[in-house]
């Protein structure tokens, strides 16, 4: 009987040894696979997870490693796109600054020479004009870059929309008066959740654009209508209109229509207006025909109804 017990014990011990050996072998293989794939993950290579669909320890680990790989790749792609956008922005800024800076330098060089008093006043006036343009350009670029990079945040509170509109209209009145352009504003008391400062900026950009491209004795109007879900702000002008094939391009950064390149501006007003509106969960669209003027429409979401 003793020999039987000894045999059973020996068999059990052998089985346990084999199991332990198997576990050590599996653990070594698992550790090797994890180590290899972590190295591949760190170096940016694709991980090897042929068995990731199996319900095993390595299968479950492979699934998590595959998820980590996808997340890292997506973030790398986003970082690459962000870098590309920053490089493009720097290139655009450099291009926009180059012309007024060069003109200012020429004026200053001419002022160092022997000039009559009339010529000196003329070049001083030109230098001041280019300096003002450079200042305006830099301020606009700062606004744009701060909005794009998220440095400036939208702070929406419920307030009367008329406050933002009155500020935008007041800022454009001097330019309108110079061209004898009539301004019309129709807006009752509309309490809406919005960022007053940036909404005013967006509407001003639309009004400034309308006045700029409307002939003398023209007409520019602002109309507000509260709809079921959105409040619509319409800025309409009697200007030259925009060709259908160009209407998508006018909202891109630094876009200027070929016929108006001589007009004041740098082509970011509409770009900024759309970005500001989109950051407030609204949208901006244009309706226009050549020779029949343009209408820009801002749609801002109404305050959600209060639950009783």
């Amino acid at each position: 009987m003793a020999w039987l017990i000894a045999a059973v014990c020996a068999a059990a011990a052998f089985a346990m040894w084999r199991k332990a050996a198997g576990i050590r072998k599996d653990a070594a293989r698992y550790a090797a696979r994890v180590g290899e794939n972590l190295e591949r993950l760190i170096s940016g290579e694709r991980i090897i997870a042929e068995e990731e669909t199996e319900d095993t320890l390595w299968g479950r680990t492979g699934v998590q490693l595959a998820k980590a790989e996808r997340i890292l790749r997506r973030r790398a792609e986003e970082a690459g796109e962000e870098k590309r956008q920053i490089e493009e922005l720097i290139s655009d800024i450099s291009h926009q600054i180059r012309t007024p800076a060069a003109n200012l330098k020429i004026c200053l060089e001419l002022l160092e020479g022997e000039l009559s008093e009339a010529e000196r006043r003329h070049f001083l006036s030109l230098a001041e004009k280019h300096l003002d343009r450079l200042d305006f350009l830099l301020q606009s670029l700062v606004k744009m870059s701060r909005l794009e990079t998220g440095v400036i945040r939208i702070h929406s509170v419920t307030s009367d929309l008329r406050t933002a509109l009155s500020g935008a209209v007041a800022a454009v009145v001097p330019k309108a008066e110079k061209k004898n352009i009539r301004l019309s504003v129709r807006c009752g008391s509309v309490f809406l959740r919005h960022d007053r400062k940036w909404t005013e900026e967006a509407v001003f950009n639309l009004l400034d654009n309308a006045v700029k491209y409307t002939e003398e004795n023209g007409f520019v109007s602002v109309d507000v209508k509260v709809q079921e879900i959105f409040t619509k702000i319409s800025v309409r002008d009697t200007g030259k209109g925009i060709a259908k094939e160009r209407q998508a391009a006018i909202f891109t950064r630094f876009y200027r229509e070929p016929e108006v390149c001589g007009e004041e501006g740098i082509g970011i007003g509409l770009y900024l207006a759309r970005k500001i509106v989109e950051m407030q969960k609204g949208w901006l669209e244009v309706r226009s025909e050549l020779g029949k003027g343009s209408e820009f429409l801002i749609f801002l979401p109404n305050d959600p109804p209060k639950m009783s």
Side-chain angles (χ1 to χ4, degrees):
M1 189 66 178
W3 66 268
L4 182 58
I5 295 173
V8 170
C9 289
F14 180 71
M16 290 177 64
W17 177 82
R18 287 193 61 182
K19 185 175 181 180
I23 291 172
R24 286 196 299 271
K25 185 178 179 181
D26 289 343
R29 188 187 306 121
Y30 172 78
R33 286 182 174 179
V34 170
E36 179 186 0
N37 281 283
L38 284 175
E39 288 293 336
R40 297 178 70 87
L41 198 59
I42 291 169
S43 63
E45 299 178 36
R46 292 282 184 182
I47 67 169
I48 304 171
E50 299 88 345
E51 302 174 39
E52 65 178 39
T53 58
E54 293 186 8
D55 187 19
T56 62
L57 180 59
W58 167 243
R60 292 190 291 272
T61 304
V63 168
Q64 297 305 315
L65 285 174
K67 286 181 181 178
E69 179 188 36
R70 288 194 292 271
I71 291 170
L72 289 173
R73 287 190 178 278
R74 184 172 66 249
R75 288 180 179 173
E77 289 171 359
E78 290 171 355
E81 176 62 19
E82 183 178 347
K83 181 182 177 182
R84 186 195 64 77
Q85 290 177 355
I86 291 172
E87 289 175 348
E88 183 180 306
L89 177 60
I90 291 171
S91 175
D92 288 340
I93 291 173
S94 174
H95 176 73
Q96 291 294 325
I97 289 176
R98 191 176 296 121
T99 299
N103 290 336
L104 181 60
K105 183 179 179 182
I106 290 171
C107 288
L108 293 176
E109 288 175 351
L110 290 170
L111 284 167
E112 291 178 355
E114 295 183 3
L115 300 172
S116 67
E117 187 60 29
E119 289 174 327
R120 190 172 297 279
R121 285 198 301 269
H122 171 69
F123 287 117
L124 278 171
S125 176
L126 281 179
E128 185 178 6
K129 179 181 177 182
H130 292 310
L131 190 60
D132 287 342
R133 176 172 171 79
L134 196 57
D135 180 60
F136 169 75
L137 172 62
L138 291 173
Q139 288 187 38
S140 299
L141 292 172
V142 166
K143 289 178 187 176
M144 179 182 68
S145 61
R146 292 177 73 187
L147 278 171
E148 284 190 338
T149 56
V151 174
I152 292 178
R153 301 289 183 182
I154 295 293
H155 300 288
S156 296
V157 296
T158 300
S159 60
D160 197 335
L161 186 61
R162 289 181 299 181
T163 305
L165 295 185
S166 62
V169 172
V172 84
V173 164
K175 286 186 178 180
E177 288 181 342
K178 284 183 180 180
K179 298 176 72 174
N180 197 32
I181 292 174
R182 289 178 298 128
L183 290 173
S184 167
V185 181
R186 291 192 298 177
C187 176
S189 181
V190 179
F191 280 83
L192 188 70
R193 187 171 180 80
H194 66 290
D195 186 307
R196 184 201 61 76
K197 175 186 173 182
W198 287 106
T199 300
E200 179 180 321
E201 176 80 18
V203 175
F204 167 75
N205 286 343
L206 298 184
L207 284 168
D208 186 60
N209 201 67
V211 169
K212 189 183 300 178
Y213 300 127
T214 296
E215 297 295 332
E216 291 188 1
N217 305 312
F219 181 69
V220 174
S221 66
V222 181
D223 293 284
V224 177
K225 183 177 181 180
V226 180
Q227 301 176 326
E228 185 176 354
I229 300 176
F230 290 89
T231 291
K232 179 176 70 174
I233 306 170
S234 166
V235 177
R236 187 191 299 267
D237 64 60
T238 56
K240 69 179 189 62
I242 306 164
K244 291 286 184 184
E245 62 272 16
R246 295 179 184 168
Q247 289 179 17
I250 62 174
F251 294 106
T252 57
R253 194 168 55 203
F254 301 121
Y255 176 81
R256 303 293 306 281
E257 292 215 87
E259 309 88 64
V260 295
C261 283
E263 296 283 351
E264 178 187 352
I266 59 173
I268 66 171
L270 294 179
Y271 172 83
L272 278 175
R274 169 173 275 188
K275 191 156 190 74
I276 290 166
V277 172
E278 288 176 346
M279 290 177 73
Q280 298 185 81
K281 303 187 184 306
W283 78 90
L284 173 62
E285 62 183 52
V286 61
R287 298 171 185 171
S288 182
E289 289 185 44
L290 281 176
K292 296 185 179 180
S294 303
E295 181 181 21
F296 287 86
L297 300 164
I298 292 175
F299 293 89
L300 291 174
N302 297 330
D303 286 0
K306 294 181 179 179
M307 303 299 291
S308 57

